[in-house]
Amino acid sequence: MSSAQWTDDKRKDDGMKDELDMFCNQCSQAAHGEACTTIGVCGKQPTLARLQDNLSYTIKGVAAFSYHLRELGVVNEEIDTFLTKAVYSTLTNVNFSSEDFIALALEAGRINALAMRLLKDAHIEAYGEPGPTKVQTGTVAGRGIIVTGHSLKALEELLKATEDTGINIYTHSEMLPAHAYPGLKKYKHLVGNLGKAWFDQKQLFSGHEIAVLGTSNCVLLPLEKYRDRMFTIGSARLPDVKHIEGYDFSPLIEVAKSLPELTEMAGEVELTTGFSASAVLGLKDKIKSLVDEGKIRHFFLVGGCDSPIKSMDYYRQFVKALPNDTIVMTLACGKFRFNDLDLGDIEGVPRLIDLGQCNDAIVAVDIAGALAEAFGVSLNELPLTIVLSWMEQKAVSILWSLLALGVKGIHLGPVAPPWVNDDIMAVLIKEYDIRLTSEAQLDIDEALGVANAL
């Protein structure tokens, strides 16, 4: 099946429209004063326009990780220099080379890997090495604030500001891994995680009468029911929602104190997060022994962005159908599709290993590299299958990081990136063996059928 056919079928399933050959409206020559949709007036071909879009999306992901680095006081000249170069290359009449835009995407992937590594290092320096931690998903009696987004720095400052105020702090979505960092979980009023991935927030925030803080991307336009008790900070902004400058949380705390107390209510599940590279690699010898004995057959990395479309059901189906001699690593908000499942363990090695936030993709890379070294094989020879879900630009940057690191055979879903046409997909398939997700059991059978014996 071609990428175009696969995309069309998936979009019909999810109620999406057909795509244009290209869409470029960045200069005054745009066709009909609106946009060039078949070929650029300047001569830009559709594939070139889509490769420029691809680079723009990738560097937006890099910028997100770089922003959180700057929150922690880390500025990297190599990242900044590349972002300037990459943005400039997309200007009108600067670069008409499709080959160069593929090279720039790979360079962006390398730079993004650098940004993720620096961010992980900065998180560890600021908050300590995370370790496996169980997190409650119910409510505690008392008033509260729920924090969504990605900024651990904003969460830390809020925890400081609310200490000894009687206000409990809850995380949401990508903030779940915060519970695993010693420097954050030392605050006793960090009491649990509410909800799942980012798109449940309208229902979640309406159903819990507590104050809300949005710290980064993944905030949604609020319902009137909770608009007056929602706040943003950092890069996040919402219309008619109060924005906090610096880390002065006094308006947020005042609102939280004015709201009714929550009642004690147990959650439906207890989640485990916080498997750092050292926590997993501390089991390296045991893992190697279990693989040698045939008790671990295959590893899967299943993670990425979640989104509210029907085809995302694939990821839960995939993980539920995996045989008991497999290990699943996961990260980012895509894990909420299945992180409530009890997969058990293999002689003490957990079968479901949550590595953390989206930027912790670099942790997965480090673990895979260390295992490959232990087994004396290359990264692509490991019995490891990567199954990614994407929704937005950070996931695109992570995909290109993996490709820049030479990873091949990635399964990508739930839909093909809409700017990727058959020309681009042909390159991704030929050079990187990209596979588009199909049916969960078929993809599992394919992965296990080609597993490399060590």
Side-chain angles (χ1 to χ4, degrees):
M1 181 183 293
S2 71
S3 65
Q5 182 184 349
W6 185 88
T7 302
D8 289 345
D9 289 348
K10 287 281 190 176
R11 288 186 175 166
K12 287 174 183 175
D13 288 343
D14 292 312
M16 301 181 187
K17 296 181 180 179
D18 292 336
E19 59 187 27
L20 302 170
D21 289 337
M22 61 182 285
F23 189 90
C24 184
N25 63 352
Q26 68 178 28
C27 80
S28 64
Q29 298 181 96
H32 312 296
E34 295 181 356
C36 297
T37 58
T38 55
I39 188 172
V41 173
C42 63
K44 183 191 297 184
Q45 297 294 318
T47 294
L48 176 62
R50 288 165 177 265
L51 286 170
Q52 289 180 334
D53 290 341
N54 175 76
L55 181 62
S56 295
Y57 302 147
T58 306
I59 60 179
K60 286 180 181 181
V62 178
F65 295 132
S66 180
Y67 181 90
H68 292 304
L69 266 176
R70 286 171 174 265
E71 285 185 313
L72 295 166
V74 179
V75 178
N76 184 272
E77 183 177 355
E78 185 177 5
I79 295 173
D80 293 348
T81 299
F82 174 76
L83 288 174
T84 302
K85 169 187 172 182
V87 171
Y88 186 31
S89 73
T90 65
L91 263 67
T92 301
N93 297 342
V94 172
N95 189 334
F96 286 86
S97 170
S98 294
E99 292 79 7
D100 195 52
F101 276 100
I102 292 174
L104 281 168
L106 289 168
E107 188 177 355
R110 182 186 66 79
I111 291 293
N112 188 65
L114 171 63
M116 291 191 295
R117 184 171 302 286
L118 291 174
L119 183 55
K120 187 62 185 180
D121 290 345
H123 281 158
I124 291 173
E125 182 176 351
Y127 311 121
E129 181 90 13
T133 302
K134 294 185 182 299
V135 182
Q136 300 300 319
T137 58
T139 54
V140 175
R143 296 178 174 85
I145 298 172
I146 186 168
V147 183
T148 191
H150 300 79
S151 176
L152 298 188
K153 175 63 174 175
L155 176 62
E156 178 198 21
E157 295 299 329
L158 178 63
L159 288 167
K160 290 179 182 177
T162 52
E163 195 168 20
D164 300 324
T165 63
I167 296 173
N168 295 314
I169 305 299
Y170 301 86
T171 57
H172 173 245
S173 192
E174 283 265 37
M175 297 301 291
L176 169 66
H179 292 268
Y181 286 90
L184 298 176
K185 69 179 181 181
K186 70 181 182 182
Y187 293 95
K188 301 305 181 185
H189 60 305
L190 179 62
V191 294
N193 186 83
L194 299 179
K196 296 188 176 184
W198 59 273
F199 56 84
D200 74 355
Q201 57 190 260
K202 291 186 178 182
Q203 178 181 2
L204 179 70
F205 300 165
S206 296
H208 293 82
E209 201 168 357
I210 56 178
V212 180
L213 177 65
T215 67
S216 69
N217 63 300
C218 295
V219 292
L220 294 178
L221 292 169
L223 299 177
E224 290 303 321
K225 188 171 183 179
Y226 61 85
R227 185 190 300 272
D228 62 349
R229 53 185 170 88
M230 184 168 186
F231 294 75
T232 57
I233 193 171
S235 59
R237 298 287 195 285
L238 292 168
D240 300 320
V241 167
K242 298 181 186 69
H243 186 76
I244 292 172
E245 298 295 343
Y247 295 106
D248 178 10
F249 292 109
S250 52
L252 172 63
I253 294 171
E254 183 179 349
V255 168
K257 287 182 175 180
S258 72
L259 295 169
E261 293 189 4
L262 297 177
T263 57
E264 185 96 17
M265 185 173 295
E268 295 181 356
V269 66
E270 186 179 60
L271 302 176
T272 301
T273 188
F275 286 89
S276 62
S278 61
V280 177
L281 295 178
L283 299 169
K284 182 173 62 175
D285 291 342
K286 187 167 191 175
I287 290 172
K288 186 177 186 304
S289 175
L290 290 171
V291 171
D292 291 340
E293 294 170 13
K295 295 179 179 178
I296 295 178
R297 183 177 14 162
H298 204 77
F299 300 90
F300 291 89
L301 173 60
V302 186
C305 302
D306 199 355
S307 59
I309 59 177
K310 183 177 181 297
S311 48
M312 276 299 299
D313 293 343
Y314 165 94
Y315 293 89
R316 186 176 183 88
Q317 295 166 4
F318 187 98
V319 172
K320 284 186 72 174
L322 288 172
N324 292 333
D325 57 358
T326 59
I327 300 289
V328 181
M329 294 183 289
T330 189
L331 51 84
C333 66
K335 63 173 164 267
F336 284 100
R337 285 285 166 169
F338 50 80
N339 69 342
D340 61 322
L341 298 175
D342 182 3
L343 300 186
D345 64 86
I346 302 174
E347 296 189 12
V349 177
R351 288 196 57 231
L352 182 59
I353 297 173
D354 178 8
L355 303 177
Q357 294 182 307
C358 49
N359 55 280
D360 291 318
I362 200 65
V363 175
V365 169
D366 289 344
I367 291 170
L371 291 177
E373 183 179 353
F375 287 116
V377 299
S378 71
L379 192 62
N380 289 312
E381 291 172 324
L382 271 178
L384 168 68
T385 299
I386 300 175
V387 186
L388 295 185
S389 57
W390 82 279
M391 197 287 291
E392 41 89 298
Q393 295 89 349
K394 285 193 292 183
V396 178
S397 67
I398 292 170
L399 173 62
W400 280 101
S401 290
L402 294 173
L403 298 181
L405 292 167
V407 177
K408 296 187 176 183
I410 296 170
H411 291 247
L412 180 64
V415 297
W419 64 92
V420 173
N421 62 8
D422 280 351
D423 291 339
I424 299 172
M425 184 58 71
V427 173
L428 293 175
I429 292 173
K430 179 182 177 181
E431 299 296 330
Y432 302 102
D433 194 23
I434 286 282
R435 298 138 187 240
L436 301 172
T437 54
S438 59
E439 296 179 18
Q441 191 59 57
L442 290 177
D443 289 344
I444 291 170
D445 291 344
E446 178 189 12
L448 298 179
V450 300
N452 295 290
L454 295 176

